[in-house]
């Protein structure tokens, strides 16, 4: 009965969100420069009534905090669905400052990533490993109250896709989670080896499916927890980013910046 109710709620949310998305086109055509500011930090709307192992914090990141109406509505909806959660947001520069302060050994590897989505992939694992909480992609939205999805006793929770595979647009964890450390170490290894040129496999969901066994970790289907792209889409998310989405950017830009010695070696071989 609960799953039926969640599915029905999800469809209603999706319908409403899509209506706001359609209406946002004439809004931004008439006000092309209008943007809304995402807060760096926002207190919970309600006091926490019960203790929770996973800290009541939602983490998000984006290349800018000045966003279009659909992205802002997505943010507001998540706040409503998680009223007892603190909200924390970091732009590109803040992500690097965080890593420099708390994970200086990872920073040289992070700095080799040339695509923002890949940087965000690594940052989300580091910030959850350090502070714990719930990470949501900027276009992800809850379809059921977040406190009910993760509960009070859970130490971690991962989302599965339509195919039953793991994704990384939703991650909930306690601080110091050893599984997150395994994922971080694998991403660092992928950067060091620089044998791949696809964000998905270097830093993204491909790493999760390589390292974690889906049947041995706590998971929740996207159908019962969190969806993507109902309120917003690629146009509204990247309207101010010339490079576009990561899957387009990686066609012309190497995901991992070659080391200087590798560049010199390749130059010598070509002479």
């Amino acid at each position: 009965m609960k799953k039926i109710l969640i599915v029905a709620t999800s469809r209603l949310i999706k319908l409403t969100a899509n209506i706001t998305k359609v209406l946002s086109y004439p809004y931004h055509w008439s006000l092309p420069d209008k943007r809304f500011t995402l807060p760096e930090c926002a207190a919970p709307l309600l006091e926490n009534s019960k203790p929770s192992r996973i800290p009541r914090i939602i983490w998000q990141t984006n290349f800018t905090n000045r966003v279009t109406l659909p992205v802002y509505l997505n943010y507001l909806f998540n706040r409503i669905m998680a009223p007892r959660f603190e909200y924390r947001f970091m732009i590109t520069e803040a992500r690097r400052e965080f890593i420099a302060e708390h994970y200086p050994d990872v920073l040289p590897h992070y700095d080799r990533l040339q695509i923002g989505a890949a940087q965000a992939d690594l940052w989300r694992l580091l910030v959850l490993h350090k502070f714990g909480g719930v990470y949501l992609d900027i276009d992800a939205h809850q379809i059921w109250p977040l406190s009910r999805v993760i509960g009070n006793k859970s130490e971690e929770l991962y989302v599965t896709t339509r195919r039953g595979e793991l994704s990384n647009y939703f991650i909930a964890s306690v601080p110091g989670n050893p599984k997150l450390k395994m994922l971080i170490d694998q991403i660092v290894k992928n950067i060091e080896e620089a044998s791949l040129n696809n964000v998905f496999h270097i830093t993204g969901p491909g790493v999760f499916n390589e390292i974690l066994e889906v049947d041995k970790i706590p998971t929740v289907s996207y159908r019962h927890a969190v969806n993507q792209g109902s309120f917003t889409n690629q146009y509204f998310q990247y309207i101010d980013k010339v490079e576009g989405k990561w899957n387009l950017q990686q066609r012309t830009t190497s995901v991992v910046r070659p080391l200087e010695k590798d560049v010199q070696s390749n130059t010598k071989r070509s002479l």
Side-chain angles (χ1 to χ4, degrees):
M1 183 65 183
K2 179 181 176 182
K3 289 186 176 180
I4 295 176
L5 180 60
I6 293 175
V7 171
T9 302
S10 173
R11 290 177 178 175
L12 179 61
I13 291 171
K14 188 172 183 178
L15 174 61
T16 304
N18 275 296
I19 291 173
T20 66
K21 182 165 56 179
V22 170
L23 294 176
S24 292
Y25 280 101
Y27 177 86
H28 277 287
W29 287 336
S30 60
L31 298 170
D33 298 323
K34 179 64 177 178
R35 300 293 181 268
F36 300 82
T37 303
L38 295 178
E40 181 179 331
C41 184
L45 301 177
L46 300 174
E47 292 186 6
N48 288 314
S49 56
K50 297 180 180 179
S52 170
R53 290 191 176 185
I54 296 176
R56 293 297 198 239
I57 307 170
I58 291 177
W59 296 94
Q60 288 194 306
T61 187
N62 194 37
F63 66 95
T64 177
N65 64 342
R66 300 284 293 164
V67 299
T68 57
L69 179 60
V71 177
Y72 193 69
L73 291 176
N74 195 96
Y75 153 76
L76 292 177
F77 184 77
N78 281 328
R79 293 283 285 156
I80 293 171
M81 293 291 281
R84 303 184 190 279
F85 283 70
E86 179 182 346
Y87 179 81
R88 298 188 189 180
F89 173 86
M90 291 190 191
I91 59 173
T92 304
E93 294 76 12
R95 289 198 308 254
R96 190 182 187 282
E97 291 173 3
F98 161 80
I99 296 173
E101 179 180 356
H102 298 287
Y103 294 92
D105 56 320
V106 178
L107 185 62
H109 306 287
Y110 176 85
D111 280 343
R112 290 186 64 191
L113 296 173
Q114 301 188 107
I115 294 180
Q119 296 173 352
D121 283 341
L122 180 51
W123 166 83
R124 73 190 64 176
L125 294 173
L126 293 170
V127 80
L128 289 178
H129 184 265
K130 178 64 180 179
F131 296 115
V134 179
Y135 170 82
L136 289 173
D137 265 3
I138 202 71
D139 66 338
H141 67 86
Q142 301 150 61
I143 58 173
W144 199 245
L146 187 55
S147 59
R148 296 186 182 182
V149 171
I150 66 174
N152 297 318
K153 298 181 180 180
S154 300
E155 294 191 353
E156 60 184 348
L157 187 64
Y158 305 88
V159 70
T160 54
T161 66
R162 189 186 305 272
R163 297 181 178 180
E165 298 175 340
L166 295 169
S167 190
N168 68 342
Y169 68 84
F170 167 91
I171 312 167
S173 177
V174 296
N177 187 339
K179 293 188 184 68
L180 297 187
K181 183 63 166 59
M182 291 167 56
L183 294 167
I184 292 166
D185 290 344
Q186 183 60 48
I187 290 175
V188 168
K189 181 181 178 182
N190 290 343
I191 296 170
E192 289 178 329
E193 294 177 349
S195 59
L196 302 170
N197 194 43
N198 187 296
V199 172
F200 186 92
H201 293 293
I202 297 174
T203 62
V207 180
F208 281 66
N209 288 286
E210 177 184 356
I211 297 300
L212 303 179
E213 297 183 63
V214 69
D215 57 341
K216 294 183 179 180
I217 58 174
T219 61
V220 62
S221 169
Y222 77 97
R223 292 186 178 92
H224 305 139
V226 58
N227 286 347
Q228 282 183 295
S230 299
F231 283 90
T232 185
N233 58 23
Q234 187 171 329
Y235 172 76
F236 289 118
Q237 286 177 243
Y238 300 97
I239 195 170
D240 296 321
K241 190 175 183 180
V242 177
E243 302 91 339
K245 192 176 180 180
W246 63 267
N247 58 345
L248 299 176
Q249 192 177 357
Q250 70 181 9
R251 294 178 186 176
T252 57
T253 302
S254 174
V255 178
V256 180
R257 176 176 53 80
L259 294 172
E260 186 176 344
K261 63 179 181 180
D262 295 333
V263 174
Q264 292 176 347
S265 176
N266 290 335
T267 301
K268 288 180 180 180
R269 282 198 293 267
S270 64
L271 293 177

